Amino acid sequence: MISRNRLEEQFAKLKEITAPGKGINRLAFTAEDREGRAYVKSLMVAAGLTVRQDAFGNLIGHYPGREDDLPAVMSGSHCDSVPQGGNYDGIVGILTAIEAVRSLHEQGKLPKHPLEIVAFQCEESSRFGAATLGSKAMRGMLSVDDLRRLKDKNGKILYEVLQENDLEPEKIHEAKYDRPLKAYYEVHIEQGKVLESKQKRIGIVTGIAAPTRLKVLLAGHADHSGATPMGLRQDAMCAASEIILAVERLATDYTETPVVGTVGVVNNIPNVMNVVPGNVQLGIDIRSISEKAKAQVTTAVEDQIMKICQKRKVQAKIETISQDKPAVMQKKVVDFLMEICEQQHVPYITMPSGAGHDAMHWTDYTATGMLFIPCKGGISHHPDEYAEMRDIVTAAKLLEKAIWLTANE
Ligand SMILES: [Zn+2]
């Protein structure tokens, strides 16, 4: 049986493991992170798992199957947090997975396929500027060169950080998970307000959006704000303002698949009260789980930028900084999770994930499913992050069911 008391105790215990400052501070590879991971490891052992650690520090707990050579069913999430983060992001996917296995273990249930529960290392980009590094290591997407290139804001190289954590950067290739998998499941807080606003307890993720990021450099003319009549201006900020609203409109008007567009960066140069803005830089982030939708909106945004700038005699230079591929969940996995929710009478919806997750690296490797639970006010990466225990227990029960059924197929 899934134990609410046990889960409550575990979240309370993890709340104590943090650096001074508000909220949870288990930044990857710090003393608090090590302490948190040691605790997670002890929970894995108590659930009947045999734990190993790979070259990057991912913890993998193995629960034997009746036919232990068959592909495993994997579940997990990340153990690290952002600075001053919340007590649920990532860790809820680890604790629910461990609890699901512990429940099977207590009932003396051995599935046909083995189970592997993973506590991924360094999912958050807050320390090294790159996200989901633990999953990337397990998928063979992280090289020794990458480890030497990535630095934290104090200039500390990831390669050295691994050495200081008694890990083996030279053996990073050995972290690659090359055995076949039967499936991968991840529970995570939604980090948005959709479930709360629709009053649903579970979101079944249909895909994980990936961003296209554009840097736009607008060059008009910096003139005296008093001496330059309105008709003679080349105001880069006015062009930027029109562009910001165009991004909002183009993303909103695309209705075939949800697309979100955000201008999160505005740099105005010289940013002086009595000067017409001459140069403005914009950072635009466009996301969707549909590659086609994302490409169409991106093209439309680029067209609009050129039109707006032509009209205002402002020069525009557009650079594509990144263009990542969205991850799509297989329909059969979504259907399977819907069926389980219906059997258990859990109110659910299907929904895309706007944020990136470890799960996105497993969709091209195995049947991958993700369950979201609501978080209060959509707040995440913040000390006020909160998820209700009844939702955590529901997710653990659904996960136990999904793992058990999949591992006996
Ligand atoms: Zn997370």
Side-chain angles (χ1 to χ4, degrees), residues 78 89-90 123-124 188 191 357:
H78 62 97
D89 177 10
E123 188 267 353
E124 301 292 356
H188 204 282
Q191 301 179 293
H357 296 290

Side-chain angles (χ1 to χ4, degrees), residues 77-78 80 88-91 123-124 186 188-189 191 356-358 380-381:
S77 193
H78 62 97
D80 63 320
Y88 303 90
D89 177 10
I91 200 73
E123 188 267 353
E124 301 292 356
E186 181 170 349
H188 204 282
I189 54 166
Q191 301 179 293
H357 296 290
D358 289 295
S380 184
H381 287 186

Side-chain angles (χ1 to χ4, degrees), residues 205-280:
V205 175
T206 50
I208 301 174
T212 289
R213 289 189 169 140
L214 306 175
K215 187 169 153 187
V216 182
L217 304 167
L218 302 170
H221 206 276
D223 293 303
H224 193 291
S225 70
T228 316
M230 297 311 285
L232 294 179
R233 295 179 180 212
Q234 289 164 268
D235 188 328
M237 186 58 98
C238 288
S241 311
E242 280 198 56
I243 291 167
I244 292 167
L245 293 176
V247 169
E248 182 190 46
R249 193 185 64 244
L250 290 166
T252 308
D253 289 353
Y254 198 95
T255 46
E256 211 176 297
T257 321
V259 178
V260 290
T262 310
V263 181
V265 176
V266 180
N267 280 320
N268 176 30
I269 302 155
N271 211 26
V272 170
M273 193 81 93
N274 62 354
V275 179
V276 175
N279 286 281
V280 174

